[in-house]
Amino acid sequence: MAIKKGGKHVKTTWKPKLKKGQSSGSNPSTRKFRDAAKNNVFTFNSGEAGLTATALAKHNEELNDRDDHSAFDCETQSVGAKSCSTILTSWTDCSNQSFNKVHRLWKSNSAMHKEILAVLAAVTEVIKEKGGKETETEYLAALMTALDTVEGEESLTAVLYLISLVIKRAPPSVLKARFSEFAKCFMDILAKYASSASTSLIRSAIVCLATVLRMQDQGAWSDSSTTQLYRAVLSFTVHSKPKVRKAAQQAVNAILKGSTFMTHDGAPAHHPAAAITAKYCVEQIEGGGGSDEAVTSLHTIGLLKDILPIFPSRSIKSVCETILKVMTLSNMLIKATCMKALYALFLSRPKPDSLTQDLNAQLIAALYDYQPGENDVQPMLAWLAVMREAHANLHALNAGLLTAHMQKFCKTCMACFLTEKAEVAQAACDSLKAIIVDCLKPSKDAVISDFGISQTAGGSSLVHKLFHSVEVGLGYQYHAFWGHVLQILTLLFEILGRECHVIMNKCLLSMACLRDSLGFKFNKELDYAVGAAVRSMGPRLVLEAVPLQITGNEETFDFPRSWLLPVMRANVQDTELGFFVTYFLPLAARLRNRANELRRDGKHVLAKTYDILQNQIWALLPGFCIRPTDLCQSFPGLAKILGQVISERVDIRSEVLAALRLLISKNLDNAKNRAEIAVYAKNYLPIFFNVLTTEPEGHAGKHASCLAVLETVKVYLQITPAELVESLFDKAFDRIGDAAQTAYKRYALMDLLMCMAPYIDLHRINLLYDSVSALVKDGDRTVQKKSFRIVEELCSCRSDACHLFVVDNLTSLQSLLTDTLSSGAPSCKAPRLRCLSHIVQRLPSAQPDFLQAIIPEVIVCTRETADRTRAASFKLLADIGNCIMKDTQKTEQEQMTEFLMMLCAGLAGTPYMVGATIVALTTVLFQFRDKVQREVLETLLENMCLLLSSKSREVVASVLGFIKVVISVTKDTTLAQYLEQLITSISNMTEDTRRHFRFKVKIIFTKLIKKFGADLIMGMTPEVYHKMLANIRKTLERAKKKRMAEEADDSDEEEGTKEVVKKVETIEDLLRDTDSELEEEDDGRPSSNRAPMPKKRRKAQATAAYLQEGGEDDILDFLDPGVAKKVLATKPKADKPAVDHGFKIASDGRLVITQDKEEEEKALVGGKKSFMVDVDKIMETMDISGKKGKKRTRASVDDDDGDDGDVFPAKYKAGGSGIHRQIAEAKQDSMKSDYGGDYRAKKAGGDMKRRGKPDPFAYVPLTAKSLNKRKKASFQGQFKGIVKSAKKGARKGRKGKRK
């Protein structure tokens, strides 16, 4: 481990790992440097704000100088402006802002910096002695004079660096007047020190010369001396030193793009030096070539990435020809760099006079000759990116010219789906989708017009060719990437489906067949594609292409196309409502009749299936009601049917009601459709009222669709005529006073009155209010709640009648709400609080008596269990605060102080009241944090710190919540003053509350550590909390590392499949791994576990190229135009040799077993010799001894010759089946089975992973023998042995770890 201290790296020795919980014991006892660092933490800026004119000028200077690089390397951070002015500025006595960079940056161990400060101090002294005003012109003149008299390379570098700073701010007239003098001086320095080791000197000279050239007029560039100076700058763009090369390339870029005459009105199309630059680049590339050491070519092409788009058309053509010429070579690094340059050219969208449409088209055609192989991942990704941008730029130049090229590019992308590389297929899919969205969609009208003409004439348009090229991807050879093909078809359906549906029917049928096939893996993508067709083409055209195959008279009940119903439900919109009437309604009726028939026959399962199908069909109706195209023609025939369904069909009532709500809400802006729907209000509203007031049989509660009916009533009343609403209101109001009404009907009538309240006149509103005022004190809690809901509706409604009612009855409403405080039911609290909130908002000014009367109830409700009640109380507290601030006689801070003191009165009550008061204070502090004075906050914190020592858990819980909010909303500088007080109070909590709220305390400490650091908080807390704080610190560090890793991963992830992937901004992302991609080693180790490759080998591999050859008869033709596909940047994998099974294999996979003639002859000749041997073996095996006893003996048998007395034992071996089967040996082999032996290491004592096998855990095979009950004990013992061995190994590992 290396720690940076004082600019040096100090290696620390390794120390043994501490035991758990003892990590904090290693902290040093002395804290000298930590305390010194903390002294500056809690400093407050009591002066003026830091945003001054000087600060803005400094900021502008930083923006102007961001592209410039200092002449010396500085790794330290910049200090504050005050420190600079007191240290470095005072030392140099320079006040010119051009040298602020010198003053802000300080590196004590840099001799160059010291020399720069010395020169600046000397020049400043000379200017002040002569009475100068320290202008840029004075400094430039003094430094140029010093440039002639300075001695030594170090001093020359310092002077040049100061000139490079001030010359950019010098008046252009001065630079134009002294152009020849300045240019000669800088040119002489460059010529003299071109081969110098001082990088800073050359860089500063280049910056100075480039600045002078930028300030010249256009006429000066006609002089040969000016172009000669520019050529000198160009020569450094291929310098061997990176910093010099980068400075020169930036200088060239600045001259061509940022010259003064190029930024003014009437600027020429191209810089006069652009052609010179192009010619120079061509010469350098042709001279460097594409050999392995073509460093010059690489540097030149790198320069072209930035300046190629601003070249004239002729120069771009010559440069692109040169780039394409070097791309034919085998240097893969050159190819990658050329791809980057072309990508930058197309991505910049150059002007038409720079990159003409013809040249763009020619480049697209030429790039097909340089297409890499589909299996060469990184080059193919780069090629696709270049082609995508080339087509997009051609579309911007001439959309008509893109037609021919788009078809070819589409076929090329589809060919990429035949590769085995998923990255290439994904890139091809993204490129094709980008072309469709960026090129085809904007020119949709022209494409559709051409399609119509070709359809009439019988020709083939772009749409025909493009769609057929993509449709081929549904073939089986593309099965691995069908998901990508379906994404492309989705875009085509969305863009062209409505007008070009004629050519899409076959494709839809093919997709449906794939969906019905067994094992299809892309159901989600296919459903989304069909959904896109439904959205664009409409369900009628889709069902013509893909029949639903559901008639109600099926003989089989598999319903293969039933998946279409959910897809259409999610995507039907903006279509013909009449199609639902003519097609789906009769079908739903037939399905219902068939379900009833099956139910009568006792086939309940099949009947349920048909019920589900007809419910799915009715579920399509809401989609058909979203902006229908034929509402006026189709709705009259559907209205009566829907009314009958609402009255009679409870099972599908919700779908019909949802359809009506969508039909109304989506046509509010369409006057014709709105009037057509409003005609049927007199029919639908009575039906709704009857459904609501009809008590369901079997139970007293409401049925499931009542809320849907009530919501539909609210929507339909928006378009109902006022006369009809008033008539219905009068009938409902008369019936609510009837004592004979049941409770259920009474509740329903009150709901209907609440819905109609916003649409009645003032007279009826007063009648309703008088009736409700008596009902709020009713003994029925439901009636009370609904009465308050009606009052809330009257107070919140924005109609003119309701507004006048609230203004006229404001005092009466206040009295009503305050008088019912004690008699209100708990369920009425939320609507009462919402009513009070509306009343408080309508108050013209703060009324202390009324507010003080309702505040106690609001405070108590902050601790209610119901979420809506708590939310209403929090909102009412905010409204009270805003009402109090309406008083203009006091400041907002004073008014907020009075409000907080009013709330603090609750701190003297019971523990429950104290906790609720603290919650109310927390809410107000959060809502009005910007209006709370520091003294009030200090008082509140002192009281909260005292309450933390309370024994009541509910009080402590509220206080901890208050502290957490204070930490979140208070600035660090303000919170730092009370930090020690807060931590001390938390530490002094009782043992019971500290243990009970340990997680809340941990959250508070986590927030404090995030704000002030772990060391500071740990120093203020007692030792009992140190373990917790150490854990918090480690947790935060782990979370930070994990977050950084996730952000890094997210940057490489691709977007979802439904959206077009965002285009890559830079091609470096595509070619990131080209220079370091490694082939797989023979040992199978992953690249992360391999030893790092030597530098020379990496360099060689970066430029290496490989040829992809076929079989022995397939000869590679280098004159073939498609030979570029055979040149790969990665080494192709060799085919694995076929396994020799000992037999020949025919072309169809059959085994061919033959016997040669020679083997047959040998068998015949040697047959006689081997005959006797075979007989002897048979006799020995059968043990023929002439004894006929029942029991076989092991007596020896004499040999036929009888010459010796050798004894031959019986050699019978069991084999076959039945009684001859192997028993003992098989049993012995099964007992000796060595599970896990394949994983055992040869030289070590443990197991090791094997390639292509699972990890070496204790895998126990599941065999049929384990089901044998007689062998149950033995198998249990096997498991016990495994567990015992695992525990033994774990104990051994723990002992070794302790050692």
Side-chain angles (χ1 to χ4, degrees):
M1 179 179 179
I3 300 177
K4 188 174 181 182
K5 184 177 180 182
K8 300 180 180 179
H9 290 270
V10 182
K11 292 185 177 180
T12 59
T13 58
W14 179 87
K15 294 182 180 181
K17 186 177 179 181
L18 297 172
K19 295 181 180 180
K20 186 177 180 181
Q22 301 297 325
S23 59
S24 60
S26 63
N27 291 337
S29 58
T30 59
R31 305 171 60 86
K32 175 181 178 182
F33 296 101
R34 300 185 185 183
D35 294 338
K38 293 173 187 175
N39 288 335
N40 293 328
V41 175
F42 306 123
T43 56
F44 302 98
N45 184 14
S46 59
E48 298 179 354
L51 186 60
T52 60
T54 306
L56 289 175
K58 185 190 300 182
H59 175 68
N60 295 332
E61 179 197 358
E62 290 178 356
L63 292 179
N64 294 331
D65 299 342
R66 184 166 294 176
D67 293 336
D68 301 327
H69 300 270
S70 59
F72 57 94
D73 297 331
C74 182
E75 298 179 357
T76 58
Q77 296 180 353
S78 61
V79 296
K82 186 177 180 180
S83 301
C84 289
S85 61
T86 56
I87 300 175
L88 300 181
T89 309
S90 299
W91 192 81
T92 60
D93 201 19
C94 175
S95 60
N96 194 293
Q97 294 183 359
S98 302
F99 306 104
N100 283 348
K101 185 181 295 186
V102 178
H103 294 151
R104 289 197 307 270
L105 302 175
W106 168 246
K107 190 173 182 181
S108 59
N109 58 350
S110 175
M112 178 58 64
H113 197 180
K114 297 177 181 178
E115 183 68 21
I116 291 173
L117 291 174
V119 173
L120 181 59
V123 172
T124 303
E125 183 180 358
V126 172
I127 292 175
K128 289 189 175 182
E129 287 180 355
K130 296 183 177 181
K133 298 181 180 179
E134 297 189 60
T135 62
E136 286 80 6
T137 305
E138 293 174 346
Y139 272 103
L140 180 60
L143 289 170
M144 292 300 296
T145 304
L147 196 62
D148 299 333
T149 60
V150 72
E151 296 179 358
E153 187 173 333
E154 185 175 358
S155 300
L156 180 62
T157 304
V159 175
L160 270 177
Y161 174 69
L162 293 174
I163 293 176
S164 67
L165 294 179
V166 74
I167 198 172
K168 290 177 292 188
R169 302 172 65 95
S173 58
V174 175
L175 299 181
K176 294 177 183 178
R178 298 295 185 93
F179 170 59
S180 58
E181 180 183 347
F182 288 168
K184 183 178 181 303
C185 181
F186 298 140
M187 193 64 189
D188 294 341
I189 294 175
L190 285 175
K192 182 178 180 181
Y193 295 96
S195 58
S196 174
S198 177
T199 304
S200 302
L201 190 150
I202 303 175
R203 290 170 62 196
S204 300
I206 291 174
V207 171
C208 295
L209 184 57
T211 305
V212 173
L213 289 173
R214 281 177 52 204
M215 298 301 171
Q216 304 309 310
D217 295 330
Q218 183 179 359
W221 286 93
S222 59
D223 193 351
S224 60
S225 60
T226 306
T227 58
Q228 185 177 0
L229 293 173
Y230 179 71
R231 291 179 185 275
V233 178
L234 272 177
S235 63
F236 285 94
T237 56
V238 293
H239 199 273
S240 58
K241 293 184 178 181
K243 292 184 178 180
V244 175
R245 183 171 63 251
K246 185 176 182 180
Q249 291 182 358
Q250 289 179 347
V252 171
N253 197 2
I255 292 172
L256 295 180
K257 296 180 180 179
S259 296
T260 54
F261 62 89
M262 293 294 296
T263 57
H264 296 161
D265 296 336
H270 309 285
H271 196 281
I276 301 174
T277 309
K279 183 178 180 181
Y280 174 81
C281 292
V282 171
E283 293 174 354
Q284 293 297 320
I285 295 174
E286 291 178 348
S291 60
D292 293 340
E293 301 296 334
V295 181
T296 303
S297 299
L298 290 174
H299 297 336
T300 307
I301 298 173
L303 171 65
L304 288 173
K305 287 192 301 183
D306 299 325
I307 62 176
L308 183 58
I310 62 175
F311 284 173
S313 176
R314 184 177 300 177
S315 300
I316 289 181
K317 183 177 181 180
S318 61
V319 171
C320 290
E321 290 175 352
T322 306
I323 289 177
L324 295 176
K325 189 184 301 181
V326 297
M327 284 178 63
T328 58
L329 304 174
S330 61
N331 193 322
M332 302 309 298
L333 191 57
I334 289 288
K335 288 186 177 180
T337 311
C338 292
M339 284 292 182
K340 292 180 182 180
L342 294 176
Y343 180 83
L345 170 64
F346 294 122
L347 186 64
S348 63
R349 301 292 186 268
K351 299 178 181 179
D353 53 357
S354 295
L355 181 61
T356 61
Q357 56 186 10
D358 296 334
L359 180 57
N360 195 336
Q362 292 173 6
L363 287 175
I364 291 176
L367 282 172
Y368 281 105
D369 296 334
Y370 301 92
Q371 178 185 348
E374 286 80 3
N375 294 325
D376 204 4
V377 178
Q378 296 299 334
M380 191 62 186
L381 296 183
W383 185 86
L384 287 172
V386 173
M387 293 296 288
R388 181 179 66 231
E389 296 301 331
H391 284 78
N393 188 71
L394 181 59
H395 175 266
L397 296 174
N398 189 345
L401 192 60
L402 182 65
T403 303
H405 297 278
M406 186 182 294
Q407 180 189 1
K408 187 175 182 180
F409 183 67
C410 178
K411 291 182 178 180
T412 305
C413 291
M414 294 302 298
C416 293
F417 294 147
L418 297 174
T419 181
E420 59 184 12
K421 302 293 184 180
E423 301 90 339
V424 175
Q426 182 64 51
C429 176
D430 297 340
S431 300
L432 192 51
K433 288 194 296 183
I435 291 298
I436 293 173
V437 173
D438 297 339
C439 302
L440 185 63
K441 189 175 182 180
S443 56
K444 175 182 175 180
D445 296 336
V447 171
I448 293 175
S449 176
D450 181 51
F451 171 78
I453 296 174
S454 63
Q455 281 287 106
T456 305
S460 180
S461 63
L462 172 64
V463 177
H464 288 88
K465 298 175 182 178
L466 189 63
F467 192 82
H468 290 322
S469 299
V470 179
E471 188 181 4
V472 174
L474 295 177
Y476 186 76
Q477 61 270 34
Y478 298 89
H479 71 281
F481 300 108
W482 271 340
H484 298 321
V485 178
L486 291 172
Q487 292 179 38
I488 300 171
L489 288 173
T490 301
L491 284 177
L492 293 176
F493 286 144
E494 291 177 350
I495 298 174
L496 305 173
R498 188 176 299 274
E499 295 82 3
C500 308
H501 57 84
V502 178
I503 62 174
M504 299 180 179
N505 295 335
K506 181 181 177 182
C507 178
L508 284 172
L509 185 59
S510 301
M511 292 167 59
C513 294
L514 284 178
R515 182 66 164 74
D516 301 337
S517 61
L518 183 64
F520 186 70
K521 300 179 181 179
F522 303 97
N523 290 338
K524 184 178 180 180
E525 290 82 355
L526 192 144
D527 291 349
Y528 189 75
V530 175
V534 172
R535 290 194 301 271
S536 60
M537 299 167 57
R540 180 177 60 83
L541 297 175
V542 172
L543 290 179
E544 288 178 0
V546 185
L548 189 59
Q549 296 183 358
I550 298 176
T551 61
N553 300 318
E554 292 83 5
E555 297 181 358
T556 59
F557 306 99
D558 50 353
F559 304 109
R561 298 283 172 80
S562 60
W563 57 270
L564 279 170
L565 293 175
V567 172
M568 286 193 293
R569 177 186 179 185
N571 296 279
V572 170
Q573 59 182 6
D574 301 321
T575 187
E576 304 167 353
L577 183 59
F579 181 67
F580 182 86
V581 177
T582 57
Y583 180 83
F584 284 107
L585 274 182
L587 179 60
R590 290 196 300 270
L591 294 177
R592 187 187 182 194
N593 296 333
R594 183 67 183 277
N596 293 333
E597 294 175 2
L598 293 172
R599 195 174 290 107
R600 286 193 297 267
D601 296 341
K603 300 178 181 180
H604 297 285
V605 176
L606 293 178
K608 186 65 176 177
T609 302
Y610 277 97
D611 285 336
I612 293 174
L613 287 176
Q614 63 127 350
N615 287 337
Q616 287 183 334
I617 290 176
W618 277 105
L620 299 176
L621 181 58
F624 279 91
C625 292
I626 298 178
R627 295 179 297 273
T629 58
D630 57 344
L631 186 144
C632 296
Q633 296 79 18
S634 303
F635 188 68
L638 183 64
K640 183 178 180 180
I641 300 175
L642 296 183
Q644 294 176 353
V645 171
I646 294 172
S647 302
E648 302 172 0
R649 298 286 302 277
V650 180
D651 55 335
I652 58 175
R653 182 180 294 165
S654 299
E655 285 77 9
V656 176
L657 293 174
L660 285 176
R661 292 196 298 271
L662 286 171
L663 197 66
I664 297 170
S665 60
K666 299 298 182 180
N667 289 277
L668 291 177
D669 298 333
N670 192 324
K672 186 177 180 181
N673 291 344
R674 178 176 176 175
E676 182 66 29
I677 304 171
V679 171
Y680 298 92
K682 63 181 182 297
N683 304 106
Y684 280 116
L685 288 177
I687 295 175
F688 298 153
F689 285 18
N690 291 332
V691 172
L692 282 174
T693 56
T694 302
E695 186 173 356
E697 299 178 358
H699 55 85
K702 291 186 177 181
H703 47 77
S705 60
C706 278
L707 293 178
V709 175
L710 198 62
E711 188 65 27
T712 309
V713 170
K714 293 180 181 179
V715 175
Y716 221 124
L717 286 173
Q718 298 178 9
I719 61 173
T720 304
E723 297 81 6
L724 180 60
V725 176
E726 294 174 355
S727 174
L728 294 173
F729 175 83
D730 294 339
K731 293 179 181 180
F733 186 76
D734 294 338
R735 293 177 62 184
I736 198 173
D738 189 359
Q741 295 287 348
T742 62
Y744 182 87
K745 290 185 177 181
R746 193 179 187 188
Y747 301 157
L749 290 173
M750 294 185 72
D751 290 335
L752 291 173
L753 291 175
M754 180 181 63
C755 295
M756 290 185 287
Y759 306 100
I760 57 179
D761 55 11
L762 183 59
H763 172 67
R764 290 178 173 82
I765 290 177
N766 290 322
L767 292 176
L768 179 62
Y769 176 69
D770 294 338
S771 177
V772 168
S773 301
L775 293 177
V776 293
K777 299 179 182 179
D778 194 276
D780 192 343
R781 295 184 176 183
T782 305
V783 173
Q784 287 187 22
K785 182 177 180 180
K786 292 185 179 297
S787 300
F788 281 113
R789 288 284 292 112
I790 294 175
V791 176
E792 178 190 354
E793 189 68 29
L794 294 175
C795 295
S796 61
C797 182
R798 298 301 177 184
S799 64
D800 296 337
C802 290
H803 179 72
L804 292 175
F805 165 76
V806 174
V807 173
D808 296 340
N809 298 271
L810 191 59
T811 306
S812 176
L813 288 169
Q814 295 179 20
S815 303
L816 176 65
L817 295 175
T818 53
D819 294 343
T820 56
L821 175 61
S822 58
S823 61
S827 59
C828 302
K829 291 183 178 180
R832 282 190 71 259
L833 292 175
R834 290 194 291 268
C835 290
L836 289 171
S837 180
H838 292 299
I839 296 300
V840 170
Q841 293 176 9
R842 298 290 184 93
L843 292 177
S845 61
Q847 298 180 7
D849 296 336
F850 174 66
L851 297 179
Q852 288 179 359
I854 64 176
I855 280 178
E857 181 187 5
V858 181
I859 293 176
V860 172
C861 290
T862 56
R863 295 289 303 276
E864 283 291 333
T865 306
D867 295 338
R868 293 184 178 180
T869 304
R870 290 200 308 272
S873 63
F874 295 152
K875 185 178 183 302
L876 182 53
L877 283 172
D879 293 334
I880 293 174
N882 293 325
C883 180
I884 291 177
M885 290 187 198
K886 293 181 180 179
D887 188 2
T888 59
Q889 298 179 358
K890 299 180 181 178
T891 62
E892 292 182 348
Q893 287 75 13
E894 294 176 351
Q895 295 167 359
M896 186 50 55
T897 302
E898 293 181 359
F899 183 32
L900 292 173
M901 293 301 104
M902 194 182 302
L903 294 175
C904 287
L907 295 176
T910 61
Y912 183 86
M913 188 65 182
V914 173
T917 303
I918 297 173
V919 174
L921 289 170
T922 305
T923 305
V924 174
L925 179 64
F926 179 79
Q927 294 288 342
F928 304 98
R929 52 186 174 274
D930 298 332
K931 300 177 177 61
V932 178
Q933 296 180 352
R934 180 175 297 183
E935 295 79 7
V936 178
L937 178 61
E938 183 176 357
T939 303
L940 291 175
L941 284 174
E942 289 178 356
N943 293 328
M944 297 304 160
C945 292
L946 292 175
L947 291 173
L948 268 180
S949 59
S950 173
K951 296 181 180 180
S952 176
R953 289 184 177 180
E954 54 189 1
V955 174
V956 176
S958 301
V959 174
L960 292 176
F962 179 87
I963 293 175
K964 186 167 68 173
V965 171
V966 168
I967 294 173
S968 301
V969 303
T970 309
K971 296 181 180 179
D972 296 352
T973 54
T974 304
L975 183 63
Q977 301 177 8
Y978 317 108
L979 184 60
E980 186 173 0
Q981 182 182 1
L982 288 174
I983 294 177
T984 304
S985 302
I986 294 174
S987 304
N988 294 334
M989 291 170 58
T990 62
E991 184 65 25
D992 177 66
T993 55
R994 182 172 59 187
R995 181 178 64 255
H996 188 268
F997 298 110
R998 58 188 183 276
F999 295 111
K1000 290 189 177 182
V1001 172
K1002 187 175 182 180
I1003 294 174
I1004 291 175
F1005 276 127
T1006 302
K1007 290 181 175 291
L1008 292 176
I1009 287 175
K1010 288 181 180 179
K1011 284 180 174 287
F1012 302 105
D1015 295 334
L1016 178 62
I1017 303 301
M1018 190 173 291
M1020 294 183 177
T1021 54
E1023 190 174 356
V1024 68
Y1025 287 101
H1026 285 183
K1027 185 177 180 180
M1028 178 193 291
L1029 298 178
N1031 176 263
I1032 293 172
R1033 180 176 59 185
K1034 294 177 182 178
T1035 303
L1036 292 176
E1037 291 176 355
R1038 285 195 299 266
K1040 182 179 179 181
K1041 293 179 181 178
K1042 183 179 179 180
R1043 185 169 60 254
M1044 294 174 64
E1046 290 177 353
E1047 291 176 356
D1049 294 341
D1050 292 341
S1051 63
D1052 297 333
E1053 288 182 356
E1054 297 171 345
E1055 301 228 351
T1057 58
K1058 294 184 180 181
E1059 297 179 357
V1060 178
V1061 177
K1062 185 179 180 181
K1063 292 187 287 189
V1064 183
E1065 295 295 333
T1066 59
I1067 201 171
E1068 282 80 359
D1069 297 334
L1070 299 174
L1071 299 173
R1072 184 183 298 110
D1073 299 331
T1074 302
D1075 301 340
S1076 60
E1077 187 174 353
L1078 307 177
E1079 66 271 19
E1080 290 290 333
E1081 299 291 342
D1082 296 335
D1083 57 359
R1085 292 179 297 166
S1087 59
S1088 58
N1089 297 334
R1090 300 179 189 145
M1093 186 180 294
K1095 184 176 181 180
K1096 292 184 179 179
R1097 186 179 174 189
R1098 289 199 305 268
K1099 183 177 180 181
Q1101 185 168 345
T1103 59
Y1106 303 91
L1107 294 178
Q1108 184 181 13
E1109 299 180 344
E1112 296 180 357
D1113 299 333
D1114 187 5
I1115 301 175
L1116 187 61
D1117 185 7
F1118 286 96
L1119 298 179
D1120 187 2
V1123 72
K1125 298 182 179 181
K1126 303 293 184 179
V1127 182
L1128 307 180
T1130 55
K1131 186 176 181 180
K1133 295 182 180 179
D1135 296 335
K1136 295 182 179 180
V1139 180
D1140 187 9
H1141 298 284
F1143 300 102
K1144 296 181 180 180
I1145 302 177
S1147 58
D1148 56 354
R1150 293 180 292 109
L1151 294 178
V1152 180
I1153 303 175
T1154 60
Q1155 188 175 8
D1156 297 338
K1157 294 182 178 181
E1158 297 179 357
E1159 294 179 358
E1160 295 178 359
E1161 294 176 358
K1162 291 180 180 179
L1164 293 174
V1165 174
K1168 297 181 180 179
K1169 296 182 180 179
S1170 60
F1171 176 74
M1172 297 303 298
V1173 178
D1174 294 338
V1175 171
D1176 294 340
K1177 291 183 178 180
I1178 294 173
M1179 296 293 291
E1180 292 173 359
T1181 303
M1182 297 183 64
D1183 193 13
I1184 300 177
S1185 58
K1187 297 181 179 181
K1188 298 182 180 180
K1190 293 182 179 180
K1191 185 177 182 181
R1192 177 173 295 180
T1193 61
R1194 292 185 178 273
S1196 60
V1197 181
D1198 294 340
D1199 190 78
D1200 291 342
D1201 296 337
D1203 296 338
D1204 49 7
D1206 295 338
V1207 180
F1208 295 91
K1211 294 185 178 179
Y1212 173 76
K1213 295 183 179 179
S1217 60
I1219 62 175
H1220 301 286
R1221 69 183 185 276
Q1222 296 181 359
I1223 299 177
E1225 185 174 311
K1227 186 175 182 180
Q1228 185 178 4
D1229 293 341
S1230 64
M1231 297 300 293
K1232 292 182 179 180
S1233 59
D1234 185 14
Y1235 297 128
D1238 297 339
Y1239 297 100
R1240 191 165 292 115
K1242 296 179 180 180
K1243 299 181 180 179
D1247 296 335
M1248 63 184 297
K1249 292 185 178 183
R1250 298 295 184 185
R1251 186 179 183 184
K1253 293 185 177 182
D1255 291 343
F1257 295 115
Y1259 294 102
V1260 179
L1262 298 177
T1263 61
K1265 297 178 181 179
S1266 60
L1267 301 176
N1268 195 332
K1269 295 182 179 180
R1270 293 178 299 159
K1271 299 179 181 180
K1272 182 177 181 181
S1274 62
F1275 282 103
Q1276 288 180 351
Q1278 181 183 8
F1279 282 99
K1280 292 179 180 178
I1282 293 174
V1283 176
K1284 183 178 179 181
S1285 300
K1287 291 182 178 179
K1288 183 178 178 181
R1291 286 195 299 270
K1292 185 177 179 181
R1294 284 196 296 269
K1295 291 181 181 179
K1297 190 175 182 180
R1298 294 193 186 101
K1299 294 178 180 180

